[in-house]
Every structure is written in structure tokens, then in C-alpha cells.
Amino acid sequence: MSTPHIDAAPGAIADTVLFPGDPLRARHIAHTFLDDAVEFNARRNMLGYTGQWRGRRVSVMGSGMGIPSSAIYATELARVYGVRRILRIGTCGGVGDVALGDLLLAQSASSDSRFNRLHFGDHDLAACADFALLKAVVDTAARRQVPVRVAHVFSTDCFYDGDPELVARLRRHRIVGIDMESSGLYGLGMREGVQCLSLLTVSDHLERGEHMPAAEREQGLARMATLALDSLEGCA
Ligand SMILES: O=P(O)(O)O[C@H]1O[C@H](CO)[C@@H](O)[C@H]1O
Ligand SMILES: O=c1cc[nH]c(=O)[nH]1
């Protein structure tokens, strides 16, 4: 069995997938945190691995950047490989009172993308995280004393040169993070019956002009990865 984009054998992917945008972040997490990690996909270099975290089988795979890429992979993971839980572990821009390195748990994700409208009769969809998964991560963070902020985020199609008023609009709605995938992932999760949650580390501050180095985005996000993995203990 394979799909146009994933070259994995049946059963090669766990029911839970960590889903960073960057395939090299996926490789780093697999090699750093998982026991017995085995690569299941390298098609288009969108690296995916399955291994063990404290005796639990888990996969980690890159999603690529943006809703179209991540939705292709998430759809195939759900429909063909039976994936039932996806934790995006991404980076985001920050607005307002957040700092580089802050860890956001995206409760909702608004968007300028038409992706969810295309599936929802052009109506607004309230694209939300799965509550049980969000609660599991919040509870784990509290137990481990990992500071997190449950937040509203916005997913944009324009990394560069988007709406010049966007930051003001986000501030007005108390949205503090901006990424490029969460809204589409949440809509897809609602349709496919897949539990989805985005954990996002603030890598840029959109108003202060602060930026995390690229190498840290690839390899420096251990706190987010281990929180996602630890939280699986609280999941059925
Ligand atoms: O760090 P990742 O997970 O790729 O997420 C963010 O980084 C990319 C842009 O640099 C977009 O994919 C955005 O959502
Ligand atoms: O989508 C993203 C991700 C990181 N930083 C941003 O400014 N935007």
C-alpha cells in the first residue's frame, strides 16, 4: 500500500503522529527521542519515522509548509493509514504579549485560507482543537511544570506580504500566534474524526522584529516535542 505522497507499508505508521512542518525537525525528533525509529517515508523528502516513546508506538512526519501540503499528508494519514491523532509541533509568529520560545496550545485557528470554506459551503467554520487532546496536553504541562498558554491562533497563506493590517486585526481579536497550517488541520480533523492539536513555539515576534535562528527551529524545540510525547500517556 502506498499513496501518491506516502510510501509506507500497511501498519508502518502509528495511530498517533507528531506533525512538524519541517521534515528535518521530524528526523531530529525521531533520532533524539524515539527508540528503534524506522523511516517509513522519504518520498519528496517528506521524512516520516515510527518508533517507541516509553513503550508507546508513535510516528513523526513532516507536513511541509502551508495548508495544501499539510492537508494532503493529513488526509492520506487518516484515510489510508488509519491515523487517529495528530499533534502538530510547529513554529509561529507572535503578536502582543508573547515572547520568543513561548509555547502556545492553539485552542482555535482562524484563517485567510479558503480551505475550510471549500469544504463547508463557503460558510465560516469554527476550526477548533480536539478538546480531549488539548486537555491531556494542558494537564501534562501542569504536572511537569511546563509553561504553556492556551491561545487563539491564525493560519495564513502569506508568509510574506500578506494583509498589512493583519497584526492589528489579530490584536483586536486577542489572537497571539500566526502559523500556516493549524486552521486547515483542525477542519480536516473535524471532518475525518481525527483528534488534532497544534503546539506552537513562538519563533518570531511580528511587532518586535525578533527571530529565532533557523537551526533552533529545526533542532531546538525539545520542550515542545517532549510535552507532546509525554501527553500521550493521558490519551486512550
Ligand atoms: O515550523 P513549522 O512547523 O514549519 O511552522 C511554521 O513555519 C513555516 C514558515 O516558516 C510554516 O510552516 C509555519 O506554519
Ligand atoms: O507562519 C509563521 C511561522 C513562524 N513565524 C511566522 O512569522 N509565521
Side-chain angles (χ1 to χ4, degrees), residues 136-148:
V137 177
V138 167
D139 290 349
T140 303
R143 255 196 326 276
R144 307 266 154 117
Q145 298 186 306
V146 178
V148 294

Side-chain angles (χ1 to χ4, degrees), residues 6 8-17 40 50 57 59 61 77 81-83:
I6 304 176
I13 306 178
D15 67 357
T16 298
V17 175
F40 66 76
T50 297
R57 198 161 172 265
S59 296
M61 180 182 176
L77 289 172
Y81 292 99
V83 168

Side-chain angles (χ1 to χ4, degrees), residues 93-177:
V95 174
D97 66 339
V98 293
L100 292 201
D102 282 2
L103 183 42
L104 308 182
L105 306 179
Q107 177 178 14
S108 75
S110 302
S111 189
D112 55 22
S113 158
R114 285 190 47 74
F115 181 80
N116 287 333
R117 285 180 179 265
L118 291 173
H119 293 279
F120 200 53
D122 213 29
H123 301 303
D124 288 336
L125 179 76
C128 296
D130 178 82
F131 177 73
L133 191 51
L134 176 59
K135 184 171 185 307
V137 177
V138 167
D139 290 349
T140 303
R143 255 196 326 276
R144 307 266 154 117
Q145 298 186 306
V146 178
V148 294
R149 176 162 169 179
V150 176
H152 300 301
V153 307
F154 184 91
S155 303
T156 185
D157 283 346
C158 298
F159 185 85
Y160 295 113
D161 303 332
D163 172 7
E165 305 299 324
L166 182 61
V167 167
R169 297 189 211 286
L170 298 182
R171 263 185 171 281
R172 181 74 188 85
H173 291 85
R174 295 175 167 76
I175 291 172
V176 295

Side-chain angles (χ1 to χ4, degrees), residues 52-92:
Q52 303 278 331
W53 169 258
R54 301 202 174 130
R56 184 184 186 118
R57 198 161 172 265
V58 57
S59 296
V60 53
M61 180 182 176
S63 72
M65 289 185 281
I67 290 173
S69 175
S70 53
I72 286 173
Y73 291 111
T75 301
E76 294 179 1
L77 289 172
R79 292 189 186 165
V80 181
Y81 292 99
V83 168
R84 302 273 47 99
R85 186 179 295 122
I86 296 177
L87 292 97
R88 167 163 157 68
I89 43 174
T91 60
C92 70

